[in-house]
Amino acid sequence: MTSAAAIAPMGINAVMRVLADPTRRAVFEQIVEAGELTVGALTEHNDVSQPAISQHVRALREAGLLGERRDGRLIHYRCEPRGLSPLVDWLGHYGVFWRERFANLRTMLKEIDDDQPRPKRPARHK
């Protein structure tokens, strides 16, 4: 069995580095969608060897993104949402940043719009 330290959530750099690999990201997404998958099932669904899938799963597990459930000789892997917390926190920080910038932009555009003289409409003749 793995130690708690091996599956504890890591920092943002580790999570981003692990998810930067497109095959690893696809494996993670497949596990999330299915709920639980074994390495054998992942190998069947991907054009990647079983040893390569095992390495991807290990990297995801060590980053705290996957948990496991043993059933005899089979190990079923599942998403560990708390492993994504560094990424969620990081995105949350930048969400506040961009909301403030967009609010400032909206205010500035309204001020510019209010300062612009309105074009005169031609008089209507009846």
Side-chain angles (χ1 to χ4, degrees):
M1 195 82 181
T2 57
S3 70
I7 60 169
M10 300 182 92
I12 184 66
N13 291 339
V15 172
M16 287 182 134
R17 186 173 42 255
V18 167
L19 292 175
D21 182 280
T23 302
R24 195 172 296 139
R25 198 169 48 251
V27 165
F28 180 73
E29 290 170 1
Q30 290 167 15
I31 293 170
V32 169
E33 188 175 310
E36 279 189 347
L37 286 173
T38 63
V39 168
L42 288 163
T43 302
E44 289 176 15
H45 293 102
N46 293 282
D47 191 24
V48 180
S49 69
Q50 183 274 325
I53 291 290
S54 292
Q55 288 179 352
H56 288 305
V57 167
R58 188 175 90 209
L60 289 163
R61 197 183 72 233
E62 288 175 353
L65 297 172
L66 295 181
E68 61 183 45
R69 175 180 64 83
R70 292 187 179 266
D71 183 19
R73 291 176 39 178
L74 292 177
I75 302 173
H76 299 265
Y77 295 96
R78 69 182 178 283
C79 173
E80 285 292 339
R82 66 189 171 103
L84 291 170
S85 62
L87 184 59
V88 170
D89 293 345
W90 185 80
L91 290 171
H93 168 76
Y94 283 97
V96 169
F97 172 83
W98 284 111
R99 277 191 296 280
E100 289 174 1
R101 297 308 183 275
F102 285 131
N104 292 343
L105 177 61
R106 188 177 305 117
T107 301
M108 184 180 75
L109 291 173
K110 183 168 176 17
E111 290 171 1
I112 290 171
D113 191 42
D114 289 346
D115 289 343
Q116 296 293 323
R118 301 274 187 238
K120 294 186 180 183
R121 292 185 178 168
R124 288 186 172 176
H125 296 287
K126 289 188 181 182

